[in-house]
């Protein structure tokens, strides 16, 4: 038996979803395929509360993080950084040779709407990048409020790395004014890794049309991707197993109900926080703790490397800190298809192991 996944990606996958991925392939230029993609895309639109576009991408999320900045900025990007993943988005922007300014808060703090407003008031930018759920620190940024602020600047697009938040907490794409919300499927979508999805607003698509191919490249050109998507196809051969898996997962999400799914995540998050708040301390700024994963400090001064390895020997995978926080924090994911029983189980085992250290 492989260790059960309580790390923030890849996450636990249910057997029926795994089985769905293992179906015999179909041709990707057939009506059966178009029916599959069409069902998946409309399901994702419902989950993201959007009537605009959704694109599917055979890549990890990082491909779309790169695609976003290359397709959506003509002038200058404002990258907001609050941890390792948002820092990576800023680094990608730089590597792509785009004009940018980076605005970083102390790790563990959130990006507030006021901060975004003060930066945009300068009038220099046409694209904001922000992470919804900063997986390295356990901070969930106030996306709705940030969206409201960005709406005041009609030339500015809002691009959101929603990788570890999407499907664990609501993202009301149209109402909140999110131009791009991207995620890979191995986090709160609870599928195996290798595939990513994104919403794309009409405004974002319009912007991409005005950007030269030399900046966008071919594989991740939103205009080309969208054109294929209009026929319920992809430009090139997609990971058909992931579309089967998403189709199955969307049926399950429908059966549970979106609101119930989000409530389940909030409940798991509260239980995990209560369990360790006093003993270890929460790394996230109070009021901005994530619904999908918790990052604990180490007030108790225990050996976190030993903790993770003891847990692994008992068949539970938990995560030491990420990036600069390695060895200083530990993280427990409570996302995707994990349930309260799983959380109570892992917390019980953690108690035993900590006692024995
Ligand atoms: C996991 C993660 C990524 C990277 O996703 P990949 O699918 O590995 O490319 C990016 N951003 C956040 C917030 C993440 O949690």
């Amino acid at each position: 038996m492989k260790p059960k996944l309580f790390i923030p990606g890849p996450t636990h996958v249910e057997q029926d979803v795994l089985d769905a991925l293992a179906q015999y392939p179909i041709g990707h230029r057939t009506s059966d395929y178009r029916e599959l993609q069409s069902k998946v895309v409309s399901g994702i639109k419902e989950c993201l509360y959007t009537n605009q576009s959704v694109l599917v991408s055979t890549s990890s999320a990082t491909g779309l993080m790169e695609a976003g900045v290359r397709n959506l900025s003509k002038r200058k990007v404002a990258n907001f950084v609050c941890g390792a993943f948002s820092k990576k988005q800023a680094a990608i922007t730089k590597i792509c040779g785009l004009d940018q300014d980076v605005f970083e808060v102390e790790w563990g703090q959130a990006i507030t709407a006021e901060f975004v407003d003060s930066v945009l008031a300068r009038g220099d930018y046409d694209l904001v990048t922000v992470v919804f759920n900063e997986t390295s620190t356990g901070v969930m940024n106030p996306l709705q409020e940030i969206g409201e602020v960005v709406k005041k600047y009609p030339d500015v697009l809002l691009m959101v790395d929603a990788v570890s938040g999407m499907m664990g907490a609501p993202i009301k794409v149209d109402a909140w004014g999110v131009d791009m919300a991207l995620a890979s499927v191995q986090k709160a979508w609870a599928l195996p890794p290798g595939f990513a999805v994104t919403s794309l607003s009409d405004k974002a698509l319009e912007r991409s049309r005005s950007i030269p191919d030399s900046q966008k490249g071919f594989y991740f050109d939103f205009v080309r991707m969208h054109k294929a998507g209009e026929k319920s196809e992809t430009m090139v051969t997609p990971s058909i197993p992931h579309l089967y898996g998403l189709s199955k997962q969307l049926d399950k999400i429908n059966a549970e109900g979106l609101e119930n799914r989000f409530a389940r995540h909030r409940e798991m998050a509260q239980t995990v926080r209560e369990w360790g708040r006093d003993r270890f301390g929460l790394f996230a700024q109070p009021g901005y703790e994530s619904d999908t994963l918790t990052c604990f400090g180490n007030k108790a001064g225990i050996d976190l490397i030993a903790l993770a390895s003891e847990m692994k020997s008992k068949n539970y995978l938990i995560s030491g800190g990420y990036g600069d926080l390695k060895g200083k924090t530990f993280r427990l994911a409570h996302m995707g298809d994990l349930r309260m029983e799983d959380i109570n189980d892992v917390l019980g085992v953690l108690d035993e192991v900590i006692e024995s250290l």
Side-chain angles (χ1 to χ4, degrees):
M1 248 237 312
K2 299 210 169 65
K4 191 154 184 168
L5 296 172
F6 290 90
I7 53 174
T11 57
H12 170 71
V13 185
E14 297 275 286
Q15 190 60 46
D16 54 354
V17 175
L18 278 176
D19 291 344
L21 269 93
Q23 293 175 70
Y24 196 81
I26 50 177
H28 64 296
R29 304 292 181 221
T30 63
S31 59
D32 283 349
Y33 175 81
R34 285 189 288 272
E35 207 173 293
L36 176 65
Q37 180 171 322
S38 161
K39 178 198 159 183
V40 166
V41 166
S42 33
I44 297 171
K45 284 184 188 180
E46 274 178 42
C47 291
L48 298 180
Y49 304 86
T50 182
N51 291 316
Q52 302 180 84
S53 300
V54 158
L55 306 178
V56 293
S57 171
T58 298
S59 68
S60 88
T62 308
L64 290 178
M65 288 165 76
E66 176 166 336
V69 289
R70 291 169 75 138
N71 275 269
L72 302 181
S73 180
K74 280 167 97 155
R75 207 158 73 221
K76 199 172 196 182
V77 185
N79 299 119
F80 288 88
V81 174
C82 59
F85 287 99
S86 39
K87 192 174 174 178
K88 192 169 278 177
Q89 179 71 71
I92 290 168
T93 307
K94 179 155 193 239
I95 288 166
C96 290
L98 297 162
D99 225 356
Q100 70 175 158
D101 285 322
V102 178
F103 301 94
E104 185 161 358
V105 297
E106 200 186 320
W107 290 21
Q109 301 296 111
I111 303 294
T112 62
E114 294 73 34
F115 186 35
V116 174
D117 201 8
S118 68
V119 165
L120 293 185
R122 302 177 192 187
D124 294 340
Y125 308 101
D126 63 355
L127 178 65
V128 163
T129 72
V130 69
V131 65
F132 176 33
N133 189 68
E134 179 45 81
T135 317
S136 63
T137 64
V139 164
M140 199 163 244
N141 283 318
L143 189 54
Q144 180 176 7
E145 293 167 29
I146 292 170
E148 291 305 329
V149 157
V150 176
K151 278 184 195 169
K152 296 199 303 183
Y153 304 89
D155 296 337
V156 182
L157 297 178
L158 175 58
M159 170 182 170
V160 181
D161 168 355
V163 177
S164 59
M166 185 185 287
M167 300 318 291
I171 303 174
K172 302 201 170 172
V173 162
D174 290 356
W176 298 356
V178 176
D179 293 292
M180 177 178 182
L182 69 99
S184 36
V185 297
Q186 77 277 15
K187 307 263 169 113
W189 276 104
L191 271 81
F195 204 71
V197 302
T198 188
S199 70
L200 196 70
S201 72
D202 299 340
K203 241 168 91 179
L205 191 62
E206 227 19 72
R207 174 75 54 82
S208 175
R209 284 188 215 286
S210 73
I211 290 186
D213 282 348
S214 57
Q215 177 173 320
K216 293 189 285 186
F218 175 77
Y219 191 78
F220 287 117
D221 171 12
F222 289 163
V223 176
R224 287 187 167 89
M225 290 171 83
H226 178 262
K227 196 166 164 225
E230 282 194 307
K231 292 182 291 177
S232 292
E233 291 187 6
T234 46
M235 273 164 62
V236 293
T237 324
S239 172
I240 295 167
H242 278 98
L243 285 151
Y244 281 138
L246 273 166
S247 169
K248 177 72 186 173
Q249 188 62 305
L250 285 161
D251 288 343
K252 294 180 61 155
I253 289 166
N254 244 340
E256 182 180 16
L258 260 188
E259 298 300 324
N260 293 337
R261 184 181 180 86
F262 299 144
R264 172 166 59 79
H265 280 80
R266 275 196 303 277
E267 201 186 326
M268 292 192 292
Q270 274 157 11
T271 302
V272 171
R273 290 200 284 267
E274 306 280 286
W275 170 82
R277 187 195 308 273
D278 293 341
R279 219 173 343 167
F280 299 103
L282 300 178
F283 193 75
Q285 177 181 352
Y288 297 97
E289 300 94 342
S290 162
D291 282 348
T292 56
L293 74 111
T294 299
C295 183
F296 290 109
N298 191 11
K299 232 166 57 175
I302 61 168
D303 182 347
L304 295 179
I305 310 285
L307 175 65
S309 84
E310 273 303 302
M311 287 301 289
K312 181 158 182 237
S313 74
K314 295 188 182 301
N315 244 9
Y316 298 84
L317 216 58
I318 67 161
S319 168
Y322 186 92
D324 296 349
L325 299 173
K326 213 178 180 77
K328 296 180 196 148
T329 58
F330 69 103
R331 296 173 305 163
L332 209 59
H334 29 82
M335 66 171 93
D337 283 338
L338 290 172
R339 280 156 210 284
M340 267 318 272
E341 306 89 87
D342 302 305
I343 296 304
N344 288 328
D345 178 36
V346 74
L347 294 179
V349 178
L350 271 166
D351 278 333
E352 277 170 36
V353 169
I354 289 165
E355 191 70 28
S356 76
L357 283 179

